[in-house]
Amino acid sequence: MSDFRYGCAGMNLDHFLTAKAQGISYGELNFGGIYEMTKEDAEKYRNFSVENNFPFEAANCMIPGRLKVVGDEVDYDKIDEYLEKAFDTAHYLGVEQVVFGSSGARNIPDGYDRDKAHEQLKIYLRDHVAPLCDKYDMYCAIEDLSYSESN
């Protein structure tokens, strides 16, 4: 028997139920959607996961474009507030992997020093994401974006 499994991305519980009926093994939620969840929403998703044996193992789109991780607009206080709440809720939901694609947040502004931007990416991942991954026993996958999505 193969260990290969299929996952399905989204936030709609009815769609996840349909996906499960089609042989999909797990759900991949949107990290921003997780951040926006109320406690009642999180409880609803967690109950769905348990009742339907359909884990939410991953979350994509780690950080929204409005929260820049490179450039002159970086605000680590806002980033940390967002990440802490989203990681806490994601952990409650059973998420194991957070995917850092997030082209809007990581695109280098025109004319901005690329070396400085790369250093900011390292700081973001090392000093802000990695400690939360450790705290919540998750890991971060860095999505290799195409040139049409990110510079």
Side-chain angles (χ1 to χ4, degrees), residues 92-149:
Y92 176 74
L93 296 172
V95 171
E96 300 170 359
Q97 171 184 290
V98 179
V99 180
F100 177 50
S102 310
S103 62
R106 78 185 211 195
N107 277 337
I108 302 169
D110 290 339
Y112 196 77
D113 182 87
R114 292 186 77 78
D115 290 334
K116 186 174 180 180
H118 289 148
E119 186 59 32
Q120 287 177 305
L121 280 172
K122 286 191 260 184
I123 290 168
Y124 167 71
L125 291 167
R126 180 191 64 222
D127 298 345
H128 301 272
V129 174
L132 291 170
C133 285
D134 288 342
K135 176 180 177 179
Y136 291 106
D137 195 26
M138 292 184 206
Y139 63 96
C140 175
I142 301 171
E143 185 176 1
D144 185 18
L145 299 175
S146 71
Y147 290 112
S148 65
E149 295 175 284

Side-chain angles (χ1 to χ4, degrees), residues 75-95:
D75 183 337
Y76 288 119
D77 289 335
K78 286 182 182 177
I79 289 169
D80 289 339
E81 179 272 326
Y82 169 86
L83 290 175
E84 179 64 44
K85 181 181 185 297
F87 265 93
D88 184 60
T89 304
H91 180 260
Y92 176 74
L93 296 172
V95 171

